[in-house]
Amino acid sequence: MDEPNRLGARPETRPASPAHSEAKSSEGRQAGVARRSPAELAERALEGEQSAGARLIRLLENQERDGIEGLKALYPHGGRAHIVGITGPPGAGKSTLVDALIAEWRRRERRVAVIAVDPSSPFSGGAILGDRVRMQRHATDPGVFIRSMATRGQLGGLARTSFEASAVLDAMGYDVILVETVGVGQDELDVVELAHTTAVVNVPGLGDDIQAIKAGILEVGDLFILNKADRPGADETEKQLRLMLHLREGEERDAGFEPPLLRTVAPRGDGIVEVVDACTAHYEHLSTTGGIERKTAVRGHRFLVELVRELASEAVFARAAAGELAQLVDDVRARRTDPYSAAERLVAAMLKPS
Amino acid sequence: MARPIRVLVAKLGLDAHTIGVTVVAKAMRDAGMEVIYSGLKQTPEMVAATAIQEDVDVVGLSSLSAAHMRHFPRVVELLREQGASDKLVIGGGVIPEEDAEDLKRGGVAEVFTMGAETGDIVAYIEQWWTSRTA
């Protein structure tokens, strides 16, 4: 059977990619990265060339075939990076914290990549991605790669693109990959699950937000950060957090690792060394207890199942005769059949040897 | 699935006026673009590195402090050196007409001076995008 093209289902919404546009607009100037094949992009990305890695991430984000081909070539080279999720409510100072963490990891001579996620507008589909404003002092450091990413409002899409982007950055040799998201909604929790280590950021004075965090994200934290700890109410918030962590006792995600609660004042760099130490300690704990393999397996399983589901469904639609789907829809509408029998017929048609 | 145009909006030079770029960024977002805003006081080197890491299609430069003549062409040059000359570079701000002509000769595709409507900028980018992907 031909390998189903997972892009083939939506050709009408797919403009030619920049990668395919050849230097039409550049008046014969060297078009560089735009002209490279996926294999070439992968090769250059492995050498650490940022423009090649960035282009692959873009192609993957746009769900283009070339991106997937590139990722296939890169994938065997990954698996060394420590992926750290940074999550917490808007206004918790995550970007400033990430900026400080980059600086500390760079001081320790680690190469650092950042995936900073911000929401797309549900109205226009556009987005303003401003997280990196706080991180621009690292813009020209060749050991740092920062990529902003919009949620694009696709169910499960964010988890997938951030997984793919982190796979590219991992293969490029970044030692630490920080994934920054607003920790709300299932999609963002999926992103959190991507990480080896998840830091949940809180600030004093948000009051009810602690409740929100309790509902979803407390369970996924490997460490907790009380940022802006120089603000009034910090002690009270810390007390509440400790209480909740106490309630969580016995149900740690990683047996034997007690999630620390750390106070930071990110712009001053206060507490940052401790946060990096705690991330490292957690990773070491995972390494010595088989946790890395376990997490990688869980992630791999989920991703594989999702891909099979997607490829299989596209194969079904690709094999269905043009009018068949419309006919079945009409049959369901008129109650000549039911959706279950209709779906079974479509799938059975694919499973028949052609 | 949609493939939004990605735009980097950056302010070069030392001025601290953000209202103009914010208005432009919002207009771009409302037109369905993904706008990466990298903040104030950017150097051409920061802009070029950011444009490459973010793999934007368009780089929108703003300057209100007469930094444009030195900085805008430098961004074009850096992108070209790093094999990223497929990106559209446009500029805006307080820029005299005669400077605008010089900037265009220096590789800035279009310059939007005082009085330009945000709609003009959005339309220009969309037109460029359509012509390149046609």
Side-chain angles (χ1 to χ4, degrees), chain A residues 269-293:
Chain A
D270 292 358
I272 298 303
V273 168
E274 289 77 3
V275 171
V276 171
D277 283 347
C279 287
T280 308
H282 181 252
Y283 192 74
E284 276 166 14
H285 174 81
L286 289 178
S287 304
T288 53
T289 55
I292 306 278
E293 290 77 10

Side-chain angles (χ1 to χ4, degrees), chain A residues 22-102:
Chain A
E22 294 303 314
K24 207 182 222 174
S25 61
S26 50
E27 287 118 19
R29 276 184 272 138
Q30 187 210 340
V33 75
R35 284 188 178 166
R36 301 211 183 112
S37 69
E40 213 177 328
L41 285 174
E43 199 177 305
R44 300 244 185 175
L46 280 176
E47 288 163 9
E49 191 184 292
Q50 293 196 334
S51 58
R55 178 54 50 91
L56 282 173
I57 291 172
R58 179 85 194 275
L59 292 168
L60 287 161
E61 194 177 28
N62 286 354
Q63 299 194 3
E64 303 205 29
R65 192 78 227 170
D66 281 359
I68 295 160
E69 293 308 319
L71 187 54
K72 283 181 186 173
L74 283 181
Y75 203 81
H77 301 276
R80 288 167 301 177
H82 179 191
I83 305 174
V84 180
I86 309 281
T87 191
K94 295 183 291 299
S95 299
T96 308
L97 189 71
V98 167
D99 171 69
L101 293 173
I102 298 170

Side-chain angles (χ1 to χ4, degrees), chain A residues 7 10 13-18 21-22 24-26 29-34 36 49-52 54-56 58-59 61-64 120-121 124-133 136-141 144-152 154 161, chain B residues 1-6 8 10 21-22 24-40 42-47 49-57 76 79-88 107 109 128-134:
Chain A
L7 304 167
R10 310 175 270 272
T13 58
R14 186 156 55 108
S17 73
S21 66
E22 294 303 314
K24 207 182 222 174
S25 61
S26 50
R29 276 184 272 138
Q30 187 210 340
V33 75
R36 301 211 183 112
E49 191 184 292
Q50 293 196 334
S51 58
R55 178 54 50 91
L56 282 173
R58 179 85 194 275
L59 292 168
E61 194 177 28
N62 286 354
Q63 299 194 3
E64 303 205 29
S120 298
S121 157
S124 68
I128 294 179
L129 310 170
D131 286 334
R132 68 177 296 148
V133 170
Q136 276 303 83
R137 63 172 161 147
H138 305 291
T140 55
D141 178 348
V144 176
F145 187 123
I146 302 167
R147 177 58 152 81
S148 313
M149 198 168 267
T151 53
R152 295 198 180 175
Q154 221 201 10
T161 43
Chain B
M1 166 160 185
R3 278 135 209 231
I5 304 172
R6 282 172 70 85
L8 170 63
V21 283
T22 310
V24 171
K26 279 185 179 151
M28 290 171 172
R29 178 198 61 193
D30 292 344
M33 301 176 194
E34 287 180 359
V35 186
I36 292 101
Y37 177 55
S38 66
L40 298 168
Q42 302 287 292
T43 64
E45 286 74 16
M46 289 161 92
V47 173
T50 302
I52 285 169
Q53 289 174 11
E54 300 283 355
D55 198 14
V56 292
D57 306 297
V76 175
L79 288 173
R80 193 176 298 165
E81 281 170 19
Q82 294 169 53
S85 55
D86 57 332
K87 302 187 191 311
L88 177 77
W128 168 80
W129 181 253
T130 311
S131 72
R132 100 189 285 226
T133 54

